[in-house]
Amino acid sequence: MGARATLVATLTEPPAADGRSLAALGGLADLLEVRADLVGDLDAAWLRSHFPGRLLYTLRSRAEGGAFEGSRERRRRRIGEAASAYDLVDLEAERDASDDLLATIPAERRVLSWHGAPADLETLRRRFSRMASVPAALYKLVTFATAPGEELASLELAADSRRRDLLSFAAGASAAWTRLLAPRLGAPWVYGAASETPGAPGQPTVARLRADFGLPELGDVAWIAGLIGNPVAHSLSPRLHNGGYRALGLAGLYLPFHVERFADFWLEIVESGIFARLGMPLRAFSVTTPHKEVAMAVAGAASPLAVLSGSANTLLFADGVCQAETTDAVGVAGALRALGRDPARLAVAVVGAGGAGRAVAAGLAHEGARVTLVNRTYERAREVARDLRVQAAPLDGFRPRGFDVLVNATSIGRDGEGLPPVALAEVATGTVVVDLVYGDEPTPWLSEAMRRGLPAVDGREVLLQQARPQFYMTTGCELPPELGREVLGLPAPGVAPGAAS
């Protein structure tokens, strides 16, 4: 049996009085961290009556990213009282490592922690050395990264130490990926939010840790792939790719990289060589909004379709060369074929002239479809359409009648709000509505299409179709479509999203 992580569910909101939410967490996590600075001092006996795992008490100070601002005396009193009832107690090395408090908490029940500003490796080494002078079951060292590169020293400390009692990673949206590598470099603990309210920036839910990354099991990792975008926390790509890796016995790990500025990420993270130094070299990136066009600039080579579309949703690393590819068009074309529609016979309106829209339009035109690129800024649509040799139309006043397929290639609908990309009142019966956006529920636009009885293609279907060639290019193995559908919760081909399959 392989290595296993300890999953910690961080409680950031008061649990319901009936305790059902805690009971549900019992099936997901090994340990419940009660953030007393956020939820107050909960009765440990009541918690144990609903949660079967161990209990960790944490009173995170404002200085270290929490909410507690009381006096030192009040802090010690609350921690001391909790120590008699909880299995483990988080002690901040800067505030709680006093002889009188340590005397009340045995070393095997201490989690000694520090949360602070980024620092270089040598500075972090010195800090950890001071922390390690106090015996504890676990040392937790977390830096708050705000810019690419600031998270690397935390991982280097873990890799350099290789201690099973040191958990070192970085917090922050752009550093969330370090949480997933850290348990493979030292202490195999992973903290996840018990609810949708994170305990720290970039903290995913425990449910997502299990569904997207296969935790608590820690399989071997020989190489890294991932998703570059903004945002990425909602993406199902990690769930799909990691699910495929596990099913096929591949030693890869697919990580989400929240990237604000592509150039900074590339320079500070990719070109740093951190993954190779950790023994997990980069093999591929998927690229999503808004970085598909700029991704072309870093590639040393590009496929003809990527060049034509002017964007890349896939970057492959081999023999020291970064190759740009695009599978966006394959996603839409594959979804149409699954409905029995031949793209070569269709008139298609693609709404959005960004990287995704341009790639979809280029690919469908290459397949023989009659494509019209529709955009809010007409000049942009005309410019892109001229390059692709397709038609252009302004979004203002656009009439969808006469098109066989409508594709939303914008971000409209991602948050469940916003005006529909195109009004469907005049759409002819049988027109296929494709939305690249997806979420837990169909987007409002897709929901309206289904209410009108129109064939609807969910963004998850497009994701599967475009991910399959990405998966093959990355691994040399085919991703079985039935496995992909199961992982993504998709119905059988041709069945409307949300319908029983």
Side-chain angles (χ1 to χ4, degrees):
M1 191 173 187
R4 188 181 187 280
T6 295
L7 282 183
V8 183
T10 300
L11 192 65
T12 58
E13 299 173 313
D18 60 13
R20 291 182 181 177
S21 60
L22 294 179
L25 283 173
L28 300 176
D30 306 289
L31 201 151
L32 181 69
E33 180 189 33
V34 176
R35 281 287 300 273
D37 57 305
L38 300 175
V39 301
D41 291 331
L42 303 181
D43 179 63
W46 182 83
L47 292 172
R48 291 185 195 281
S49 69
H50 298 287
F51 181 79
R54 292 185 295 166
L55 303 179
L56 166 64
Y57 180 89
T58 298
L59 188 65
R60 185 70 61 231
S61 68
R62 180 75 69 181
E64 297 203 12
F68 180 79
E69 294 184 296
S71 66
R72 184 177 295 269
E73 292 72 22
R74 184 182 174 207
R75 177 177 180 82
R76 290 183 179 179
R77 183 175 66 254
R78 289 181 64 178
I79 291 175
E81 291 173 354
S84 62
Y86 282 73
D87 301 293
L88 294 161
V89 178
D90 185 294
L91 300 174
E92 294 183 0
E94 295 287 317
R95 288 161 194 82
D96 305 324
S98 60
D99 291 340
D100 57 338
L101 190 55
L102 292 174
T104 67
I105 307 172
E108 64 270 18
R109 294 173 55 204
R110 301 171 189 161
V111 173
L112 197 64
S113 67
W114 176 83
H115 301 71
D120 60 33
L121 178 58
E122 188 54 41
T123 300
L124 293 182
R125 279 193 185 125
R126 291 195 297 269
R127 178 171 293 281
F128 173 59
S129 179
R130 293 194 298 271
M131 291 174 64
S133 67
V134 178
L138 178 74
Y139 301 95
K140 181 185 178 189
L141 193 150
V142 181
T143 56
F144 293 110
T146 58
E150 291 182 345
E151 65 270 59
L152 300 188
S154 294
L155 288 181
E156 290 173 327
L157 175 66
D160 182 59
S161 303
R162 294 285 176 173
R163 290 183 53 153
R164 301 285 289 178
D165 59 355
L166 169 62
L167 176 61
S168 178
F169 63 91
S174 64
W177 60 274
T178 66
R179 295 175 175 272
L180 301 158
L181 279 188
R184 293 168 166 86
L185 302 172
W189 282 45
V190 186
Y191 285 70
S195 65
E196 294 299 326
T197 301
Q203 185 185 58
T205 65
V206 172
R208 186 169 281 269
L209 288 173
R210 295 180 72 100
D212 291 9
F213 305 100
L215 294 168
E217 302 305 321
L218 291 173
D220 293 335
V221 177
W223 47 267
I224 297 292
L227 173 68
I228 298 173
N230 179 14
V232 293
H234 73 288
S235 176
L236 292 175
S237 289
R239 186 173 306 178
L240 178 60
H241 287 267
N242 285 321
Y245 299 165
R246 292 194 302 274
L248 298 178
L250 303 174
L253 178 63
Y254 188 100
L255 298 171
F257 294 92
H258 176 96
V259 174
E260 299 280 349
R261 294 175 296 278
F262 187 94
D264 293 345
F265 169 79
W266 200 263
L267 177 65
E268 301 295 340
I269 304 297
V270 177
E271 294 189 355
S272 73
I274 181 65
F275 299 103
R277 293 201 302 276
L278 296 178
M280 309 171 191
L282 282 172
R283 184 173 285 191
F285 282 127
S286 307
V287 185
T288 189
T289 304
H291 303 304
K292 293 185 180 186
E293 292 172 276
V294 70
M296 288 286 290
V298 301
S303 70
L305 186 55
V307 172
L308 178 64
S309 66
S311 67
N313 77 339
T314 309
L315 295 173
L316 304 166
F317 300 89
D319 302 322
V321 176
C322 177
Q323 168 87 19
E325 300 279 357
T326 182
T327 66
D328 277 322
V330 176
V332 175
L336 292 173
R337 288 194 179 95
L339 289 175
R341 310 294 178 95
D342 179 2
R345 300 176 178 272
L346 303 175
V348 183
V350 178
V351 182
R358 180 170 180 145
V360 170
L364 290 176
H366 182 72
E367 295 262 1
R370 302 183 304 282
V371 177
T372 298
L373 195 62
V374 184
N375 199 57
R376 189 180 305 279
T377 304
Y378 183 45
E379 287 305 314
R380 167 67 172 168
R382 289 178 59 188
E383 176 185 341
V384 174
R386 184 171 56 250
D387 292 342
L388 301 181
R389 297 182 181 180
V390 301
Q391 298 299 308
L395 182 59
D396 186 26
F398 174 69
R399 305 291 293 273
R401 183 170 291 278
F403 287 94
D404 303 303
V405 181
L406 302 176
V407 180
N408 175 32
T410 75
S411 61
I412 295 173
R414 175 167 292 154
D415 56 4
E417 300 177 354
L419 296 175
V422 173
L424 300 177
E426 299 181 10
V427 171
T429 301
T431 300
V432 181
V433 176
V434 181
D435 202 336
L436 303 191
V437 176
Y438 62 81
D440 294 333
E441 301 291 338
T443 63
W445 194 54
L446 211 63
S447 296
E448 181 186 353
M450 289 186 286
R451 285 196 302 272
R452 294 178 178 275
L454 301 172
V457 176
D458 186 88
R460 292 173 299 162
E461 178 72 43
V462 178
L463 172 65
L464 174 58
Q465 297 292 341
Q466 71 184 32
R468 291 187 65 207
Q470 283 184 334
F471 192 95
Y472 182 80
M473 287 186 283
T474 301
T475 68
C477 300
E478 295 283 355
L479 174 65
E482 62 277 7
L483 172 64
R485 305 190 78 82
E486 179 183 352
V487 170
L488 295 177
L490 279 168
V495 178
S501 60

